[in-house]
Amino acid sequence: MKWSLLCLFLAKGLIAKATEEYREELTLRPLIDGKLAAHFSFSTLLRGAVPRAPSSLGTDDTYSARARIPEFHLTINSGKWDYDRWGHPGEPGVGSGAELWAWMGDGAQARYDGTLHTTSPTRAFPPTGDLPRLPTPHLHTLRHATLPAERVCTENLTPFLKLLPIFDADWHGLGVHVRWRAGVGIELTLTVQAVLDPVRTSVERRRDWSLRSLFDRSIPRACNIATSSVVRVLLPSALEGRNYTLTPEPEMIADAMTAVYDITNGTSELDIAMRWPEEQTFSYPLDMSPLSELSVRRTLKGSSQTHGELSIVIRNNQPTVIRTHYLETMPWHVEFFLHTLSVSCGDGRKCDHLYTNMTYTPSQPHATPAMLQATIELPPHESLHLSLRVRKAFLRYKEHPPDAQRGWDLPPAVFVRVDEPHGRIYTSALLVDLATPDFSMPYNVIIMSSTLIALIFGSLFNMLIRRFVVIKVDAGSR
């Protein structure tokens, strides 16, 4: 990833009265399975600023407007977000691995098309901010790229530390978000999300928690330059248990569901704690209703190294009809057979009429991935099964990752409700097994050849160089 992509945001034109505002926020949400979701947000707003291209600072030509990147999002996550048990996250970008998407003018797009293998899924990733108007006929375009996992070679100990957990959490992620808001300015937000498990770290197997037990520290004070510093705690529902205590007492309860601690002007140390005094040991619920309106299960079937079948099962958990956009981004080494697409309802009958508005952009071998988009209509409490046969490409030996026997990671699919364009649901990432040569054979050949050469050379060297001398030994010296 080139740093110059981010520099397009950092190089900005200022107006005479531009001011900065910094806000920090922490949201804690107890979950039904005893875990705790933490969401840190650090936001800086530069009022009156507009996105500019670095090469055009001080000018106001057409290329300057075309080269702007008014919106940019980068997320890096580890683990899989469980929508059924945890509901929706505070930040929607929770797909496994790294994800980058940005809205840019066609001038900036031409600069990065040759370096980034990207797609343009405009249905699933609409702009969250505003896009400046461009001169006709220029338009803004979307660039989207994913990296489901980092390819770490496990045959040596050099990158071993990358495989170790750096965060004691069931799931955690980082995010950088930049957007332009018309009439307001440029907003930069840094987010940190994590799902912590107090039960696992508790000796008594309790779900009690405090800031010090979670993060090994309390909050001594707010940041000196912060205009707003707030901690929010979402109160448990009746299903999660109402017999709890929250200390210290919050300053206010918003919407009867959120305890708010405003520490902007506070001077005392804050250590929030939530306990369930009547619970001796936390009991995991055996029957939990899904907290998400959609439940998605995505698998790649087949044991062949040349062909397989992509299967997706979507269930509507609501009593109303849900229309959702479906996005599938597949690397070039897995090809779709669109004529094999099958859509069926839960009872097995064909439901092709529920799968509409499909667009497909084929992949370019050894370059860009394929992109499949469609709109799906789900009846109330109904399941829909999508199946599609795929072909696995045969790679060149130089294109295999360091740990080739592990397989290739495939990015998650994305579902976005039509009436909630900024709420995305990511499926789990997949692992595909491609035809892989025996990379251990060259090492075996090298080892055997070296052994034979050492034996032959050593024997010939001894025969040519060694001299045999007869030494007479006196009988008296024995």
Side-chain angles (χ1 to χ4, degrees), residues 467-474:
R467 295 176 61 189
F468 295 91
V469 180
V470 178
I471 301 177
K472 295 181 179 181
V473 181
D474 298 337

Side-chain angles (χ1 to χ4, degrees), residues 11 20-21 46 67 70 136 166 224 256 290 297 318 330 338 388 453:
E20 288 189 19
E21 295 181 6
L46 188 60
T136 307
I166 60 174
N224 294 331
R297 186 174 70 252
Q318 300 295 321
M330 195 63 65
L338 291 182
L388 183 66
I453 291 175

